[in-house]
Amino acid sequence: MSLLSENYTLYNGVKIPKIGFGTWQISNAAVYDAVSFALKTGYRHIDTARAYGNEENVGRAVRDSKLKREEVFVTSKLPAEIKGFKEARASFEKTMRNLGFSYLDLFLIHAPWPWNDKGRDCTEGNIASWKVMEELYREGKVRAIGVSNFSVTDINAIIENCEIVPMVNQIAIYIGHLQDGLTEYCRQRNILVEAYSPLATGGILKIEAIREVAKQYGASPAQVCIRYLLQKDLLPLPKSTHPNRIAENAEVGFTIRETDMKSLDSIHQDLSHF
Ligand code: A2P
């Protein structure tokens, strides 16, 4: 059974499909076919970012599909190294030109720091960017706003200095790497946690304990990884360029029993290569 028509509801009432199609590391050339196939399969939630360099063909695939714009939930992101009022606004406009849309469903600050300077304190820049996100939201250009890769400290700075609490935090979560403290903090503030790299970019699919659980349910290891996150009320964003895998990753209507969830919880695999 596919879960593609089920939604979470953000705290502002906006519905967001429970499984999103991730497009990180899919080139602009390959993304058109991948997104077109995902939409044909029934995915209604596509996650991109200006930094992925594929917004143009994500937008084209959505526009070329027979679906109405409002039937597809699309997320994009403000690049991590772009901070500040003018810069954030200009980048949003570039994203919208790339996508060819009149509005966006969800707009995220991609990271609290530039990727080549992880951990740098950019609080001031993040606050300035967030004020732009708030303006875009109030103007109706985006239906929801959020952050990505933000820590508790980073989110607190936004909450203390701005008016709108982020609706989403998109972070790397997969079996063995749960970020429990951060997800609990988000839950308490009604911030939906989206899990990027739910398969650890493929790294966890060979773990024997996951394969064992998968066998019991007649499922694939990837399906177990995705289903596990859904049972924790997280929103997985699996990505694949292969049609059979794109379809497989949505067939996650089975239920993992509590004892198996616990054994998956106890996996602490070193995926530091990722
Ligand atoms: P491919 O794109 O060649 O199908 P993540 O979503 O954690 O970023 O993981 C994506 C990686 O996992 C990609 O390398 C993708 O390969 C692979 N992948 C995605 N779905 C499956 C699947 N159902 N079975 C095996 N590998 C998968």
Side-chain angles (χ1 to χ4, degrees), residues 100-142:
F101 293 165
S102 60
Y103 72 90
L104 192 62
D105 296 281
L106 175 62
F107 195 40
L108 306 178
I109 298 182
H110 205 143
W113 18 248
W115 292 107
N116 61 4
D117 199 2
K118 266 184 159 178
R120 186 170 111 205
D121 182 0
C122 299
T123 306
E124 244 177 70
N126 287 327
I127 291 170
S129 296
W130 189 254
K131 293 197 167 162
V132 172
M133 312 287 275
E134 291 181 332
E135 272 175 17
L136 295 169
Y137 178 66
R138 291 202 182 94
E139 289 165 15
K141 297 198 161 103
V142 298

Side-chain angles (χ1 to χ4, degrees), residues 175-176 209-210 213 224 228 256 260-267:
I175 293 175
I210 297 178
V213 171
V224 165
Y228 171 86
I256 303 173
D260 292 325
M261 287 295 286
K262 290 229 167 67
S263 78
L264 296 169
D265 284 341
S266 69
I267 293 175

Side-chain angles (χ1 to χ4, degrees), residues 4-16:
L4 293 172
S5 55
E6 292 192 11
N7 299 304
Y8 289 118
T9 304
L10 302 177
Y11 78 72
N12 66 342
V14 167
K15 294 206 180 322
I16 176 167

Side-chain angles (χ1 to χ4, degrees), residues 197-202 205 222 237-242 245 248-249:
S197 300
L199 313 176
T201 73
L205 301 176
L237 298 165
K239 76 127 269 240
S240 174
T241 46
H242 292 91
R245 291 175 173 176
E248 174 188 317
N249 293 346

